[in-house]
Amino acid sequence: MKQNVQITEKFNQHLAKIFSRKIIMDLARNGESGYLNEILLNSGFVKFLGSDFKLIDIFDAVYKYLSKTYRNEYIYKNVIANKILLGRHSLNTSFMMTEFRVGSCKADVAIFNGTSNVYEIKTELDSLERLANQIAEYQKFFDKVQIITAPNQTNKISKSVGPSIGILELTPRNTIKTIQQAKSGKKRVSPETIFDSLRKSEYLSIIGKHYGPIPKVPNTQIYKECRAIFSKISPELAHDSMVTLLKQRGNSHGLKNFIESVPYSLKAIALNSCLKEKEAISFINKLNSSYPYLYSNAA
């Protein structure tokens, strides 16, 4: 790689878009991505690359650069995937989702194992204006609520959240430091909020297991009837039943193989790529092959 090229700060946000589901899907299905080419050429990052490089080298080089100079949301998600999901837990017993809808919010990262954990990301670039509302929504759904942030945000967050909220710091070396341990709160979750985040097959499964046959009502009324029944389930039972079912979303041999096959830089995006098994295999093969499209497009 050529180290004598400096990328101006204004391109960082554009460059960070390389870790997108669209690019992964394009590469898996077509073998190349016009969007990827556009990002690398317009940002000038292509100048960092030599004349002979593999696709995997592009992702690793961009990730290395961003992790040092522009720690955006994807860097945080990927550290959580590597250090917490894969470092502390196991793909056999845990599942991680990003941008998971809870009430009026989208949780940045949710991990389901023996319980439920949410990780709200507040980078050095983020405002804390919405944090109180996000915490309130997450407490209706998750057992443990945790904020992961940059060193310059830690003190401010510590003063604005209660003692039950976990506070984690992404250190300058991209490791995770615990500032405050999260406390269990599944006794105060809202069954209605949990219900609203489940798929139809999932809430029908829980109701069928604990309340017997599903009400015989028109399809247009099933949601309303089931929600009324679900609201009567105890918070702890609603929570634990939800965790059991959401873990099953990641119970795929193909998904586990795919996550294990991609490099460190791509773990978070791989977890939520939604590739079919053949597409995943195609993407892995492409990662380890040369990627000449940049220069052909630049000519």
Side-chain angles (χ1 to χ4, degrees), residues 7 14-15 18 34-47 49 53 55 58-59 62 291 294:
I7 302 177
H14 191 55
L15 186 62
I18 186 176
Y35 188 40
L36 170 63
N37 300 343
E38 175 190 335
I39 290 172
L40 294 173
L41 289 168
N42 290 347
S43 68
F45 197 86
V46 67
K47 297 175 183 178
L49 302 167
F53 55 88
L55 182 60
I58 297 176
F59 287 111
V62 172
Y291 191 74
L294 291 171

Side-chain angles (χ1 to χ4, degrees), residues 272-291:
N272 293 276
S273 61
C274 300
L275 295 180
K276 297 177 182 178
E277 190 167 353
K278 288 184 178 179
E279 293 172 337
I281 293 172
S282 174
F283 179 75
I284 293 299
N285 291 336
K286 190 62 188 177
L287 273 180
N288 295 297
S289 63
S290 61
Y291 191 74

Side-chain angles (χ1 to χ4, degrees), residues 58-75:
I58 297 176
F59 287 111
D60 286 348
V62 172
Y63 185 83
K64 182 178 180 181
Y65 166 76
L66 291 175
S67 67
K68 291 180 178 180
T69 61
Y70 186 76
R71 299 201 306 178
N72 65 312
E73 190 173 283
Y74 181 77
I75 300 298

Side-chain angles (χ1 to χ4, degrees), residues 210-279:
H210 296 287
Y211 284 91
I214 306 303
K216 292 183 178 180
V217 295
N219 286 337
T220 55
Q221 297 180 30
I222 285 181
Y223 179 88
K224 180 180 179 181
E225 291 293 323
C226 287
R227 194 175 191 274
I229 294 172
F230 202 94
S231 67
K232 299 175 183 177
I233 299 176
S234 72
E236 288 179 280
L237 178 58
H239 172 272
D240 292 347
S241 299
M242 169 272 292
V243 169
T244 297
L245 285 172
L246 291 190
K247 280 169 57 178
Q248 293 177 10
R249 293 190 189 182
N251 190 21
S252 163
H253 182 69
L255 176 61
K256 293 172 188 174
N257 285 342
F258 181 49
I259 296 167
E260 290 169 352
S261 298
V262 299
Y264 184 100
S265 61
L266 292 175
K267 297 297 187 185
I269 192 66
L271 280 158
N272 293 276
S273 61
C274 300
L275 295 180
K276 297 177 182 178
E277 190 167 353
K278 288 184 178 179
E279 293 172 337

Side-chain angles (χ1 to χ4, degrees), residues 147-164:
I147 314 301
I148 181 166
T149 190
N152 67 339
Q153 296 266 49
T154 303
N155 288 337
K156 190 184 298 185
I157 290 175
S158 296
K159 295 175 182 178
S160 64
V161 303
S164 67

